């Protein structure tokens, strides 16, 4: 773990790259900067969680991916109210409703809440299964499947051969499949 002052300077140095990465995903300057800020705060609030198993940049990028996903989800749920020229924010809000208090536009279909909850439960089970993997196996799986790093990048980062990387990825997939078969799909099978 880098010293606190060193950590601050490393994070500040990578901030422009992180903002650029977030902007490519979010396409909104303010939301991208917020996501980066949240990721950096998460690292600074709990520096002990960075174990040094990967580069600091990879670690922060992993956190940032979750922040980006959160920002994208909230952006689709929240509609920004932009007042027209010469219109106050209150007038813009009032324009959304008819005199009787009903909304002028019907809300969008919410989809299937049960299915959404089931999906969240699945990802919780997947996370538990990942935690049960050996640390190096879980790390390489996340680098490949979540961070979408190329095999060459992973091999360089972990100082392993391509053959070793593929063996570790195969083992990770097999163990995850077994864990999910027992803890997720087994409970739904009839």
């Amino acid at each position: 773990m880098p010293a606190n002052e060193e950590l601050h300077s490393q994070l500040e140095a990578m901030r422009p790259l992180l903002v650029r990465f977030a902007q490519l995903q979010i396409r909104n300057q303010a939301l991208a900067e917020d996501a980066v800020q949240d990721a950096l705060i998460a690292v600074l609030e709990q520096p002990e969680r960075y174990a040094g198993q990967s580069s600091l940049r990879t670690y922060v990028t992993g956190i940032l991916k979750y922040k980006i996903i959160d920002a994208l989800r909230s952006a689709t749920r929240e509609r920004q109210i932009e007042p027209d020229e010469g219109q106050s924010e209150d007038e813009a809000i009032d324009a959304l409703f008819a005199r009787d208090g009903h909304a002028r536009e019907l809300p969008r279909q919410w989809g299937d809440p049960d299915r959404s909850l089931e999906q969240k439960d699945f990802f919780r089970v997947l996370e538990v299964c990942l935690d049960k993997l050996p640390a190096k196996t879980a790390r390489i799986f996340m680098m490949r499947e979540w961070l979408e790093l190329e095999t060459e990048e992973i091999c360089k980062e972990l100082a392993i051969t391509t053959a070793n990387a593929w063996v570790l990825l195969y083992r990770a997939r097999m163990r995850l499949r077994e864990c999910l078969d027992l803890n997720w799909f087994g409970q739904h099978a009839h």
Side-chain angles (χ1 to χ4, degrees):
M1 176 77 240
N4 201 18
E5 205 170 291
E6 183 182 338
L7 177 64
H8 279 269
S9 65
Q10 286 178 357
L11 292 175
E12 191 57 38
M14 71 175 70
R15 190 176 191 293
L17 291 171
L18 296 171
V19 170
R20 230 182 349 250
F21 173 76
Q23 278 184 280
L24 287 172
Q25 305 300 318
I26 299 175
R27 306 263 186 227
N28 178 308
Q29 176 74 28
L31 291 177
E33 288 187 16
D34 287 347
V36 170
Q37 194 67 24
D38 289 346
L40 295 177
I41 288 171
V43 173
L44 291 170
E45 284 180 343
Q46 296 182 328
E48 68 281 356
R49 292 192 75 186
Y50 173 63
Q53 294 178 341
S54 63
S55 72
L56 182 60
R57 182 175 169 188
T58 301
Y59 177 72
V60 176
T61 303
I63 294 171
L64 178 58
K65 280 193 171 196
Y66 285 107
K67 301 299 181 184
I68 289 170
I69 290 168
D70 290 344
L72 291 172
R73 284 182 182 151
S74 69
T76 58
R77 283 193 307 260
E78 299 170 5
R79 179 177 169 194
Q80 298 297 321
I81 298 175
E82 306 260 344
D84 293 332
E85 195 170 318
Q87 186 182 40
S88 74
E89 191 172 311
D90 288 340
E91 291 169 332
I93 292 171
D94 289 342
L96 298 173
F97 299 94
R99 287 183 167 260
D100 64 1
H102 289 90
R104 292 190 190 273
E105 292 179 31
L106 292 175
R108 288 191 318 231
Q109 180 61 274
W110 284 16
D112 184 356
D114 290 335
R115 180 112 171 100
S116 296
L117 181 61
E118 194 172 290
Q119 234 179 355
K120 287 180 185 175
D121 288 344
F122 171 79
F123 283 108
R124 283 190 202 107
V125 172
L126 177 62
E127 190 175 337
V128 168
C129 290
L130 278 167
D131 287 343
K132 290 181 180 181
L133 290 176
K136 190 172 187 177
T137 306
R139 183 171 174 222
I140 194 170
F141 179 81
M142 293 303 288
M143 290 172 82
R144 177 68 179 177
E145 302 302 331
W146 180 247
L147 294 177
E148 299 174 351
L149 296 177
E150 295 296 325
T151 306
E152 296 78 33
E153 292 175 279
I154 295 169
C155 291
K156 183 178 177 184
E157 180 73 31
L158 300 178
I160 59 174
T161 65
T162 304
N164 192 3
W166 288 113
V167 167
L168 289 171
L169 284 168
Y170 175 79
R171 288 179 183 164
R173 290 179 181 122
M174 290 299 104
R175 286 188 174 180
L176 287 173
R177 177 180 167 195
E178 181 181 345
C179 182
L180 289 171
D181 279 348
L182 290 172
N183 298 297
W184 180 254
F185 296 110
Q187 73 181 7
H188 293 2
H190 298 290

